Amino acid sequence: MLASGLTVGSGLLAAGAAAAAGSTSGVTARLAGGVRVGENVEFFATDTNEWRPTQAGPMTIKIGDSAEIPVYCIDLLNGASFEADYKETGWDSSSLKDNPGAGPKILWILKNSYPAVGVEQLAAASHIEGLTDTDAAAGTQIAIWSFSDPNVKVRQSDAEATAFTKWLIAQANEKGTGNEPKPTLGLAPASVGGKSGTTLDPITVTAGGGTASVTVSLDSKGTAAKVSLVDDKGAEIKNVKSGDKIYAKVPAGAAAGNATITARGTATSSVGRAFVGEIKGEPSQTLILAGEAEVPVSATAGITWGLGAVPTADAVVDCAKGALVVTLGNKGDKDAAFKVAGKDYTVKPGGTQTVTLPVKEDEKYDFTVTGPEGFSKQFTGLLNCKTDSSTQSPAPSTSASASAPASPVPSASPTGPELASTGGGMGTGLTAAMAGVLVVAGGAAVYGLRRRGRHSRAS
């Protein structure tokens, strides 16, 4: 589900170019800051039957040159890394699909807890005296984990933070309803086609934060074919906002071809959007936005036209099926012959056909769709649909659980005041010296340790 760069297109790129599937958003990010406000806690690892230390609290990401935006972890056992590339995606294409009903409850927490709501307001609402920002930050993260990673026991040492966690969970269970937020910027559908001499089906602009300043343009192939972008009244357009529809008008007699529409500008990010990470072909911890900011965005959609067969292709990650689902279409008046993953498919005029391509969890995929008139679309990415905890049996009930204070947890961050991540806790056998080396060495070294069974905080 990953595409490199800080602003990439959603859906389909020009013929022959790679596209990341599973999202209508082209927003990508990098981890910018670790846990600066939070507390040390422990989680129970059933693979080694031991409690391990980690940190609970928000981190931050940057989308392009935006301000830092707070995020929380929704993938407790998976380490995060400053070197991972993160891509915004829908809930159904992230680990939230693994826990039905978790998304709305987490969204309620994000909108009604720290840092969206001040500590004084939270203390008054929860009736917890002495609540601090560190209590609120830690309690928010652990409450989120209770829904994103329900199989993992977490224990806290602070009485106020523990009480706040319990209060948040109860509130989210009672009030956590609602819909997934829209993409920061999206163009949908991501692929349209039609006959030469017609106006193609509309492409709708979506900006989830409610505001956007976006321009649209055609690539050189579109301009060479004298394709124009118009509104529903036929007037040429360049500037669009959320809800606008873009129509591609193809001149009569235009030779079969394809082009890319690009929307580029700024938009407001939406609380509750998920970000799936990848580092060197392996998954990184999944994150979820806890704040808003004006961010640079870029999204694309593919268009095709012709006089016979007019092929289209789109793809989405389906976490429920553990697959990349490709939809082939034909907007022309002759049969369109496709080849997908070495197999042949024929789509009748005006028809569509769905092709399901199974992909293993945490596995990269790379599929190319070819069709008539040199049509070619490549879909690449990484299937990251499950939390690591989804394969872990529930921890045994103990007196030292999230509902009762435990003994103080030793610091897992000997390198300074900023804790580098939350979740994927530091293995208890690591020394402070080794931890310092890992921070300098970067996320790849830390990730290597995590994959060998020592769940490390990220660098």
Side-chain angles (χ1 to χ4, degrees), residues 12-41:
L12 305 178
L13 305 183
S23 171
T24 55
S25 174
V27 177
T28 61
R30 280 292 187 103
L31 194 65
V35 179
R36 295 159 181 165
V37 180
E39 294 174 350
N40 296 308
V41 298

Side-chain angles (χ1 to χ4, degrees), residues 157-389:
S157 60
D158 185 279
E160 289 77 18
T162 302
F164 185 67
T165 301
K166 293 175 64 177
W167 178 80
L168 265 185
I169 292 171
Q171 292 291 302
N173 276 322
E174 178 184 351
K175 303 174 182 178
T177 59
N179 298 321
E180 175 184 358
K182 295 178 180 179
T184 302
L185 178 69
L187 296 179
S191 179
V192 297
K195 297 179 182 180
S196 298
T198 65
T199 299
L200 309 187
D201 290 341
I203 296 170
T204 302
V205 180
T206 301
T211 61
S213 175
V214 178
T215 61
V216 292
S217 60
L218 277 166
D219 64 8
S220 59
K221 290 190 290 184
T223 56
K226 297 184 179 180
V227 175
S228 58
L229 301 181
V230 299
D231 61 18
D232 56 357
K233 297 179 180 178
E236 190 168 355
I237 57 172
K238 289 186 177 179
N239 300 305
V240 293
K241 61 183 183 302
S242 185
D244 284 354
K245 296 184 183 299
I246 304 169
Y247 296 81
K249 187 175 182 180
V250 182
N258 59 80
T260 299
I261 297 173
T262 299
R264 181 177 288 110
T266 60
T268 304
S269 61
S270 296
V271 171
R273 290 296 294 176
F275 278 76
V276 176
E278 178 184 344
I279 177 171
K280 300 185 184 301
E282 298 280 358
S284 186
Q285 181 181 100
T286 305
L287 306 173
I288 192 163
L289 282 187
E292 296 182 347
E294 188 176 90
V295 300
V297 288
S298 177
T300 65
I303 59 173
T304 56
W305 62 87
L307 301 176
V310 181
T312 64
D314 199 359
V316 64
V317 167
D318 189 324
C319 285
K321 295 180 179 179
L324 181 73
V325 178
V326 179
T327 300
L328 308 174
N330 179 9
K331 297 294 185 177
D333 54 15
K334 294 183 179 179
D335 288 357
F338 293 90
K339 186 178 288 292
V340 185
K343 294 185 177 181
D344 295 322
Y345 299 88
T346 299
V347 179
K348 297 293 183 180
T352 61
Q353 184 167 350
T354 298
V355 180
T356 301
L357 303 171
V359 183
K360 293 180 180 179
E361 177 69 13
D362 295 346
E363 182 176 278
K364 295 194 72 171
Y365 60 82
D366 188 344
F367 298 107
T368 298
V369 177
T370 58
E373 302 293 342
F375 179 87
S376 179
K377 301 289 183 184
Q378 182 185 14
F379 300 97
T380 66
L382 180 101
L383 195 74
N384 187 0
C385 290
K386 296 180 180 293
T387 61
D388 281 6
S389 64

Side-chain angles (χ1 to χ4, degrees), residues 87-169:
K87 187 181 192 308
E88 181 183 346
T89 192
W91 287 358
D92 283 352
S93 298
S94 77
S95 58
L96 288 176
K97 183 67 173 180
D98 200 35
N99 293 294
K105 294 175 183 179
I106 293 172
L107 181 61
W108 186 92
I109 293 172
L110 295 169
K111 290 184 173 182
N112 295 277
S113 190
Y114 184 88
V117 179
V119 174
E120 290 185 3
Q121 291 175 269
L122 293 173
S126 63
H127 304 290
I128 299 174
E129 294 185 4
L131 187 73
T132 66
D133 56 351
T134 58
D135 298 332
T140 301
Q141 176 62 91
I142 296 169
I144 289 172
W145 280 334
S146 75
F147 298 112
S148 68
D149 296 81
N151 286 351
V152 184
K153 286 281 188 178
V154 179
R155 63 184 184 184
Q156 302 164 261
S157 60
D158 185 279
E160 289 77 18
T162 302
F164 185 67
T165 301
K166 293 175 64 177
W167 178 80
L168 265 185
I169 292 171

Side-chain angles (χ1 to χ4, degrees), residues 35 38-43 52-56 408-436 438-439 446 455-459:
V35 179
E39 294 174 350
N40 296 308
V41 298
E42 289 183 310
F43 68 92
R52 294 179 179 175
T54 190
Q55 301 88 34
V409 181
S411 172
S413 181
T415 59
E418 177 181 316
L419 310 184
S421 78
T422 184
M426 180 76 76
T428 55
L430 289 179
T431 64
M434 178 59 74
L438 291 178
V439 169
V446 176
H455 295 288
S456 171
R457 69 179 176 86
S459 67

